[in-house]
Amino acid sequence: MYPGSGSLLSVLTHSTQRTPLVMGKPNPTMLECVIQKCALDPPRTCMVGDRLDTDILFGISGGLSTLCVLTGVASEADILAPDAPQATFYTTSLSDLGKSHM
């Protein structure tokens, strides 16, 4: 088991008596930097990830479409839970995107 960033942050906050600026997902500051650096157009951008609590929430909070891929952390039961962050789309694998659905 590895400690999460929250436990490490707590040590730094306590020892320095300073409040850190959090930049990781799902913090909107990180997305603002990515949008600016990559000249992204949010209405035409889709956040793809396998974690509802970071990747998908990151996209939602930034006004992006989201695609949850079920090859990692999230399961179909997770994404269908009423209290879960709701991805715009979901798929079982990125390879599904190249398949023809006629």
Side-chain angles (χ1 to χ4, degrees):
M1 174 182 263
Y2 297 103
S5 60
S7 61
L8 298 174
L9 219 82
S10 175
V11 170
L12 290 172
T13 301
H14 182 73
S15 64
T16 63
Q17 298 297 305
R18 298 182 72 188
T19 303
L21 174 62
V22 178
M23 295 293 290
K25 294 180 290 186
N27 191 289
T29 304
M30 182 178 174
L31 183 57
E32 291 165 12
C33 291
V34 171
I35 288 171
Q36 183 178 15
K37 176 121 176 116
C38 299
L40 298 177
D41 180 13
R44 296 178 43 92
T45 304
C46 184
M47 176 65 188
V48 179
D50 66 350
R51 294 185 64 107
L52 294 173
D53 61 338
T54 56
D55 304 326
I56 302 306
L57 196 56
F58 183 62
I60 291 170
S61 69
L64 308 178
S65 295
T66 56
L67 172 65
C68 186
V69 184
L70 303 180
T71 54
V73 176
S75 68
E76 190 168 23
D78 293 332
I79 65 170
L80 296 176
D83 59 336
Q86 297 297 302
T88 312
F89 309 100
Y90 75 94
T91 187
T92 56
S93 171
L94 282 178
S95 65
D96 291 345
L97 299 178
K99 295 179 183 174
S100 175
H101 295 284
M102 295 188 178

